[in-house]
Amino acid sequence: MTADAARTELRSIADSLQHYVEILKEGGLGGLPRTLHMSSPQAHPQARPQPPSPAEDRPIASPADIDGQALDSLAALRDAIGDCRRCKLCEHRTQIVFGVGDPHAELVFIGEGPGADEDLRGEPFVGRAGQLLTEIITKGMKMRREEVYIANVVKCRPPHNRNPETDEIAACEPFLRKQIELIQPRIIVALGAFAAQTLLQTKTPISRLRGVWHTYQDTKLMPTLHPAYLLRNPRDKRLVWQDIKAVLREMGRL
Ligand code: URA
């Protein structure tokens, strides 16, 4: 390796560490843990921490990336994703947030992308918005969080919680598509404008999408408001309850 290449690599490692420290601070932690994991060993034991590769080295994701492989389980899909470097979100994430729940769930919730808490924990919807989603599932629907499956449109945290960009969505889309194909849920609930508009490939506002049944990959899809929006606008919880009741009716639970 040339001195220049070594300097570039060191700078990239330093940037990743700096970003990790910022995330820890946002999460309210005062210092670095003794062991530093760029990827969660529990979530993906094979993944080794690696510095981000330069943009020009990264392969562009295409559906063939995943479709070409005989993937017959979510675990196999997670393995195939590996320590993904298919888009620029890999440069700032702590770890990939793949999804959680029953691999054969009847009901799947899809959000936008991991936030700071999810990026640190490696699990979707574990922050404040996640707590509200858990209440909707447990108190509203009388189901257990483990009974459903929860995932996001993109599996890595967009920096500063910005919306995922077109190339990032395109890189991650084959993974979500395969996840749904493997789970074969009866119903998908799209949480918020971003998830609903991305899955349905429309720019129609969430106010017009929500409360009405749509279809994604031959599966019934109900768009509703995002729990983070509900934290800011609690009066609109009644609208989400209307949507959730429609889901419960469809599942024969109401
Ligand atoms: N918001 C999302 O859309 N997804 C998460 O996992 C957390 C917050």
Side-chain angles (χ1 to χ4, degrees), residues 1-223:
M1 186 187 283
T2 65
D4 266 349
R7 250 194 306 279
T8 308
E9 189 159 337
L10 273 174
R11 198 173 310 125
S12 135
I13 293 169
D15 285 347
S16 298
L17 284 170
Q18 170 76 37
H19 182 71
Y20 187 61
V21 171
E22 279 162 15
I23 287 170
L24 288 174
K25 281 188 189 150
E26 269 182 54
L29 298 176
L32 278 173
R34 278 174 193 278
T35 17
L36 188 62
H37 293 296
M38 298 289 282
S39 311
S40 154
Q42 292 106 317
H44 191 57
Q46 304 91 323
R48 287 274 180 82
Q50 280 173 13
S53 60
E56 63 272 20
D57 288 352
R58 268 187 250 117
I60 303 299
S62 75
D65 239 342
I66 290 300
D67 287 348
Q69 303 180 42
L71 300 170
D72 57 3
S73 69
L74 289 178
L77 173 62
R78 178 64 192 87
D79 266 359
I81 293 173
D83 189 32
C84 184
R85 312 222 146 249
R86 293 167 180 83
C87 86
K88 58 189 178 300
L89 290 182
C90 71
E91 288 163 16
H92 298 287
R93 68 161 187 242
T94 304
Q95 57 191 315
I96 293 169
V97 181
F98 178 67
V100 72
D102 181 348
H104 306 292
E106 230 187 317
L107 177 62
V108 169
F109 289 90
I110 306 290
E112 174 174 334
D117 296 301
E118 291 76 20
D119 177 68
L120 283 173
R121 296 256 305 268
E123 183 175 330
F125 284 98
V126 290
R128 278 186 68 222
Q131 282 163 22
L132 183 51
L133 176 62
T134 304
E135 275 182 26
I136 291 170
I137 296 166
T138 55
K139 296 192 182 151
M141 306 187 81
K142 307 274 182 276
M143 294 178 76
R144 285 175 301 113
R145 191 175 146 106
E146 301 73 35
E147 261 179 274
V148 304
Y149 195 87
I150 307 173
N152 282 305
V153 170
V154 295
K155 313 292 186 221
C156 297
R157 183 197 181 196
H160 313 297
N161 294 340
R162 65 158 169 74
N163 275 352
E165 293 171 358
T166 313
D167 58 320
E168 297 157 358
I169 298 164
C172 233
E173 195 270 339
F175 308 149
L176 180 60
R177 197 156 41 80
K178 194 73 193 177
Q179 258 175 324
I180 301 291
E181 206 179 298
L182 289 165
I183 298 169
Q184 293 192 304
R186 271 191 54 209
I187 293 169
I188 298 169
V189 173
L191 297 165
F194 181 88
Q197 290 173 344
T198 305
L199 295 177
L200 299 173
Q201 302 203 342
T202 177
K203 288 194 175 3
T204 305
I206 187 67
S207 55
R208 284 185 42 215
L209 291 174
R210 61 147 292 275
V212 180
W213 287 107
H214 301 259
T215 307
Y216 173 78
Q217 281 181 213
D218 299 327
T219 305
K220 287 191 137 208
L221 182 146
M222 175 60 75

